[in-house]
Amino acid sequence: MGKLSWYPVIDIEVIFIIIRRTKESVKALYFDPISGASGDMILAALIDLGVSVDFLKKNLACITQFELRVKNVNRTGVVAKSVQFVIKKEVGADNFLPLLERSRLSQKVKDISRRIIERIFEVEKRIHGTRDCHLHELGTADTLLDVVGATLAIDSLGISKVYTGPLKAGRGFVRTCEGNMPAFNFATAQLLKGFPVEFLPIPFELTTPTGAAILSTIAEPIENISFKKIENIGIGTGTMDLKEYPNLLRTFIGELNDTLFDECRVIEANIDDQNPQDYEVIFEKLYKAGALEVFLTPVIMKNSRPGIMLTVLTMGDNQKVIDLIFQETTTLGVRMMNTTRIKLARCILSVPTPYGKIKTKIFEYAGKKRFSLEYQDLKKLSSKLNRPLRDLRQEITQFVQEYLTKRKPVELCP
């Protein structure tokens, strides 16, 4: 299998990868931040996973002069890889992007590395309220090498999806060059907006800004992952020895199952005095605020009053959704609970028809593929041609069926 695009779905519109069907299943890389993540921990875990040290040295040599030291260390009884860059020619933050652009690295590695670095710059400027970068410890060549090294390493693995479990944050304060600061760094917190974060009772910086920037750019957050087969495991560690906790970042490469598990939040509200005409607008606003699903269920409420139960599914705590429910409906309270979803592998393909391209969702379960036509495309076409939607659906379904039968099979993404 060739190298595939592994851009994350958290920063850009979902990219569905269409490739020729082979006997191989979709391979995924999963990060398990046992006690957080930093740039050197990510790189160490990937090296332990099998990425060649010589390959990294050769390709990173175009960035600056350095020595890469890799060794095994013991953390609470577990052997893990540790890496250290010994910089022989320091590089300032102002030169990060110019050096990257002039390098011999592939365009994909350049693009993703640039995005990670730019996010660090943007967050630091916002935090310090200045137009100039305020990087301090982040403004050294180590940061650039960690970012580019991790991007290069992941690209070399030839995987199609990258996931990460919840990131970890410490409590209390840590000593920095600017004085005592929260263990959950201000920059790290900004970079992890939209990601699940677990706070541990450890007074250390568990996830660094570099680690947060890398994982939140390249990986999709997920709390449960289902592998058909785990092919390899890598364990990396940083410079800290937490004594009572394993300061480890674990990585897995494996074949994904046809179904994928994830965690989401269910928000419910009972309503008995809402004008039914309002729900169309409410739905639009909730989806715009990030809702995964919104639906209504008729219920019988107190005193045998007929009512409606509004149900909204979101990823994590979505305060915007909660605010909208209170602002747009007459409910006096909401219920919240976590639940597990099982999602089928799927992709979206633009299929040519006599009326233009129609988006078609292809999904698979137990080895059998099915497809459904995108309703909004059909709706627009029905209005444009002034033809019944039912007739168009039947006609176009035949075109799509023939097209999918003749073309090469497609690989599906979770």
Side-chain angles (χ1 to χ4, degrees):
M1 183 183 292
K3 294 179 182 177
L4 303 173
S5 174
W6 40 268
Y7 291 101
V9 298
I10 52 171
D11 287 326
I12 58 176
E13 185 177 357
V14 178
I15 297 180
F16 293 95
I17 308 163
I18 310 300
I19 63 176
R20 182 175 181 176
R21 165 68 79 176
T22 71
K23 293 182 180 179
E24 297 180 85
S25 298
V26 175
K27 287 187 179 179
L29 170 65
Y30 174 67
F31 287 92
D32 177 23
I34 297 172
S35 292
S38 60
D40 59 332
M41 291 174 72
I42 292 171
L43 192 57
L46 293 169
I47 290 173
D48 196 42
L49 196 62
V51 175
S52 166
V53 175
D54 290 337
F55 167 79
L56 291 171
K57 288 179 179 178
K58 179 181 178 181
N59 284 275
L60 291 175
C62 59
I63 299 296
T64 189
Q65 298 175 21
F66 65 91
E67 178 186 348
L68 177 57
R69 297 176 181 174
V70 182
K71 62 181 181 179
N72 290 332
V73 298
N74 192 294
R75 293 285 186 258
T76 60
V78 178
V79 176
K81 280 284 190 292
S82 173
V83 302
Q84 179 188 10
F85 284 108
V86 179
I87 307 301
K88 297 182 178 180
K89 184 179 180 181
E90 190 52 74
V91 175
D94 290 345
N95 291 316
F96 281 9
L97 296 180
L99 276 171
L100 183 62
E101 288 306 314
R102 292 197 298 268
S103 71
R104 301 185 303 273
L105 299 168
S106 71
Q107 193 59 48
K108 184 174 74 172
V109 170
K110 287 182 181 181
D111 290 344
I112 299 172
S113 298
R114 184 194 314 112
R115 177 60 182 142
I116 296 170
I117 293 166
E118 287 176 343
R119 290 187 64 222
I120 294 174
F121 287 174
E122 290 166 5
V123 162
E124 290 291 339
K125 290 176 184 178
R126 191 183 315 136
I127 289 171
H128 296 287
T130 176
R131 294 181 179 178
D132 301 317
C133 289
H134 197 70
L135 295 180
H136 291 307
E137 293 96 336
L138 292 174
T140 63
D142 294 72
T143 299
L144 180 59
L145 290 170
D146 283 342
V147 169
V148 181
T151 306
L152 187 65
I154 294 172
D155 181 54
S156 73
L157 294 172
I159 47 85
S160 56
K161 296 291 289 184
V162 184
Y163 297 101
T164 180
L167 276 296
K168 304 299 189 296
R171 296 184 183 274
F173 292 84
V174 295
R175 185 70 183 170
T176 72
C177 61
E178 293 182 317
N180 290 323
M181 290 291 173
F184 190 27
N185 185 287
F186 288 106
T188 303
Q190 288 288 334
L191 288 163
L192 292 181
K193 286 173 66 176
F195 265 64
V197 175
E198 293 181 7
F199 285 83
L200 300 181
I202 306 174
F204 290 100
E205 184 182 40
L206 301 180
T207 300
T208 66
T210 304
I214 293 171
L215 291 184
S216 63
T217 302
I218 66 174
E220 179 180 353
I222 187 171
E223 295 196 17
N224 291 304
I225 190 166
S226 178
F227 283 112
K228 184 183 299 182
K229 180 176 69 175
I230 293 177
E231 296 183 355
N232 207 355
I233 301 172
I235 303 177
T237 187
T239 56
M240 291 192 305
D241 189 350
L242 301 176
K243 303 300 181 185
E244 296 181 1
Y245 297 87
N247 184 29
L248 302 172
L249 171 66
R250 188 164 50 172
T251 55
F252 299 86
I253 277 188
E255 296 179 4
L256 289 178
N257 276 326
D258 290 339
T259 56
L260 187 70
F261 294 81
D262 70 3
E263 297 286 334
C264 64
R265 176 65 61 90
V266 178
I267 304 173
E268 295 178 344
N270 284 5
I271 305 168
D272 64 1
D273 55 352
Q274 184 85 34
N275 188 326
Q277 293 176 321
D278 298 347
Y279 285 115
E280 181 181 6
V281 173
I282 294 170
F283 272 44
E284 291 175 358
K285 291 185 177 181
L286 286 171
Y287 278 121
K288 191 174 181 180
L292 301 173
E293 292 183 37
V294 185
F295 56 92
L296 303 175
T297 306
V299 294
I300 301 298
M301 299 173 55
K302 187 170 63 175
N303 298 324
S304 299
R305 292 197 306 269
I308 290 292
M309 182 170 69
L310 170 68
T311 304
V312 184
L313 270 61
T314 70
M315 291 302 294
D317 294 321
N318 192 323
Q319 189 60 44
K320 216 184 249 190
V321 165
I322 295 172
D323 290 342
L324 274 170
I325 292 174
F326 283 122
Q327 291 167 7
E328 299 289 338
T329 76
T330 58
T331 190
L332 300 179
V334 299
R335 297 179 298 276
M336 295 185 292
M337 63 202 84
N338 292 329
T339 190
T340 300
R341 294 193 304 170
I342 301 177
K343 301 187 294 184
L344 297 181
R346 85 290 302 270
C347 72
I348 290 182
L349 191 64
S350 290
V351 177
T353 75
Y355 308 110
K357 291 186 176 181
I358 297 291
K359 290 189 180 69
T360 304
K361 183 181 292 182
I362 305 170
F363 47 99
E364 180 179 4
Y365 182 69
K368 295 182 179 180
K369 286 192 179 70
R370 291 176 289 170
F371 69 87
S372 64
L373 306 179
E374 173 60 41
Y375 169 73
Q376 292 297 334
D377 284 8
L378 286 175
K379 180 181 174 182
K380 291 177 183 176
L381 194 57
S382 174
S383 176
K384 179 180 177 181
L385 300 177
N386 193 26
R387 288 188 55 187
L389 188 63
R390 181 182 59 184
D391 294 348
L392 268 177
R393 180 183 286 111
Q394 185 175 355
E395 181 181 350
I396 293 176
T397 294
Q398 292 178 350
F399 282 112
V400 173
Q401 183 71 58
E402 292 174 4
Y403 177 83
L404 294 177
T405 301
K406 292 177 182 177
R407 67 163 283 131
K408 296 175 181 177
V410 297
E411 183 67 83
L412 305 182
C413 306

